[in-house]
């Protein structure tokens, strides 16, 4: 009997050390550890979030209405009126130029004035990408400049340098032109080069910046006469504010009477 009592006592002591409930004649309540977890917050899909951020504006068709939505009338009745109460009037290019001529007579400004264009480009691509702003040169159908652009040609070939000067290049040469350009002794409106000499022109990148020869702009190639023809009479323009082209495109000389 004594040995049985000692055995039971050892079992009870071991249960206390292991923090286990001792099962004797009386059932003990179990105290199991309880772990709590925070509920996972539901995340909205990116597509849904973008749709909520960019809600499409409601397009109202004013074609058959007696007046535009949110406006006073289609056209003002007086000469003096508030612009926001009436729809914007859109004029054609010919009408706009005629109106400018009348304004010049009223403002007593010079009759010969340059004409500028403010053009907005669609720079969007597929998969929410955009075209990066760029600089380019174009041939206008009616050039308005009286003088040709100065073009410098980089080449180490003597025959190519001679061909460039014959086609109107103001300067033609190789690495010997780098230092005079850095010292501001010579300059040009455009700089073109043959591909072989580009590694030697790295020193001019910070100096020329956007005028540095690049293949994307057509200022690097082997057809020197073709490049000179483009840049001598071409008009350079650049994209500003991500999608706008603001540049001079013509000179209004129609108001000047021929002598």
């Amino acid at each position: 009997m004594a040995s049985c009592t000692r055995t039971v006592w050892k079992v009870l002591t071991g249960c206390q050390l292991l923090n286990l409930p001792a099962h004797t004649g009386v059932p003990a309540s179990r105290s199991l550890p309880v772990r709590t977890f925070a509920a996972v917050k539901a995340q909205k899909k990116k597509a849904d979030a973008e749709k909520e951020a960019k809600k499409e504006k409601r397009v109202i068709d004013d074609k058959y209405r007696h007046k535009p939505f949110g406006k006073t009338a289609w056209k003002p009745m007086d000469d003096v009126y508030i612009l926001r109460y009436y729809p914007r009037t859109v004029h054609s290019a010919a009408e706009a130029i005629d109106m400018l001529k009348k304004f010049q007579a009223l403002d007593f400004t010079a009759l010969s004035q340059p004409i500028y264009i403010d053009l907005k480009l669609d720079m969007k691509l597929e998969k929410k990408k955009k075209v990066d702003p760029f600089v380019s040169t174009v041939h206008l159908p009616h050039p308005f400049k009286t003088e040709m652009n100065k073009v410098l040609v980089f080449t180490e070939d003597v025959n190519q340098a001679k061909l460039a000067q014959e086609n109107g290049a103001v300067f033609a040469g190789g690495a010997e032109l780098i230092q005079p350009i850095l010292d501001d002794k010579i300059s040009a409106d455009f700089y073109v080069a043959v591909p072989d000499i580009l590694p030697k022109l790295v020193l001019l990148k910070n100096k020329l910046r956007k005028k540095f020869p690049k293949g994307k702009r057509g200022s690097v190639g082997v057809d020197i006469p073709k490049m000179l023809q483009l840049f001598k009479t071409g008009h350079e323009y650049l994209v500003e504010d991500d999608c706008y082209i603001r540049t001079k495109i013509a000179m209004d000389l129609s108001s000047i009477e021929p002598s």
Side-chain angles (χ1 to χ4, degrees):
M1 185 67 183
S3 61
C4 293
T5 305
R6 286 195 297 270
T7 303
V8 172
W9 180 253
K10 289 180 180 179
V11 171
L12 293 174
T13 306
C15 292
Q16 289 178 357
L17 292 174
L18 296 174
N19 198 17
L20 296 174
H23 292 280
T24 58
V26 182
S29 60
R30 294 184 178 181
S31 57
L32 297 176
V34 179
R35 299 179 65 182
T36 58
F37 297 91
V40 179
K41 186 178 179 181
Q43 296 181 353
K44 295 182 179 180
K45 294 182 179 179
K46 292 183 179 180
D48 297 338
E50 291 178 359
K51 286 182 180 178
E52 292 180 1
K54 298 180 180 180
K55 292 183 179 179
E56 295 183 359
K57 293 183 179 180
R58 182 184 175 188
V59 179
I60 300 175
D61 187 9
D62 294 332
K63 187 175 180 181
Y64 299 103
R65 296 172 62 93
H66 66 282
K67 66 176 182 178
F69 180 78
K71 304 292 182 180
T72 304
W74 283 104
K75 293 182 180 180
M77 301 298 293
D78 285 331
D79 295 336
V80 180
Y81 57 91
I82 301 176
L83 290 175
R84 67 173 179 269
Y85 293 151
Y86 300 92
R88 180 181 296 179
T89 305
V90 180
H91 302 281
S92 64
E95 291 175 351
I97 292 174
D98 291 337
M99 291 174 67
L100 286 174
K101 293 177 183 178
K102 294 178 182 178
F103 295 155
Q104 289 176 359
L106 293 173
D107 294 341
F108 300 100
T109 55
L111 297 178
S112 176
Q113 291 191 9
I115 299 174
Y116 291 84
I117 188 173
D118 193 338
L119 182 64
K120 183 178 180 181
L121 302 179
D122 185 4
M123 307 286 280
K124 294 181 180 179
L125 295 174
E126 295 180 358
K127 297 183 179 180
K128 299 180 182 179
K129 295 182 179 180
K130 293 183 178 180
V131 180
D132 296 330
F134 57 90
V135 180
S136 184
T137 306
V138 65
H139 265 150
L140 297 174
H142 304 286
F144 56 89
K145 292 183 178 180
T146 56
E147 297 181 358
M148 289 189 178
N149 300 319
K150 297 179 181 179
V151 185
L152 186 147
V153 179
F154 288 108
T155 178
E156 291 184 330
D157 192 328
V158 178
N159 295 328
Q160 289 180 341
K162 184 178 179 181
L163 180 64
Q165 291 180 344
E166 290 176 354
N167 284 270
V170 290
F171 299 103
E176 69 275 5
L177 298 177
I178 295 177
Q179 194 59 42
I181 293 174
L182 293 174
D183 297 338
D184 294 327
K185 293 182 179 179
I186 59 175
S187 62
D189 298 318
F190 295 97
Y191 298 82
V192 300
V194 294
D196 298 338
I197 200 174
L198 283 179
K200 298 182 180 180
L201 303 180
V202 178
L203 295 174
L204 294 175
K205 274 193 173 181
N206 293 332
K207 179 69 175 179
L208 301 181
R209 295 188 179 182
K210 293 182 179 181
K211 293 184 178 181
F212 188 82
K214 288 186 178 181
K216 292 182 179 180
R217 301 177 190 170
S219 54
V220 176
V222 294
D223 194 347
I224 294 177
K226 184 178 179 180
M227 292 191 295
L228 287 171
Q229 183 181 4
L230 171 63
F231 291 104
K232 280 194 307 179
T233 58
H235 178 69
E236 186 180 42
Y237 66 92
L238 58 91
V239 178
E240 305 177 39
D241 299 333
D242 296 332
C243 62
Y244 289 96
I245 295 177
R246 302 181 180 98
T247 182
K248 184 166 63 172
I249 59 170
M251 183 70 69
D252 185 13
L253 303 174
S254 58
S255 299
I256 301 177
E257 296 180 358
S259 57

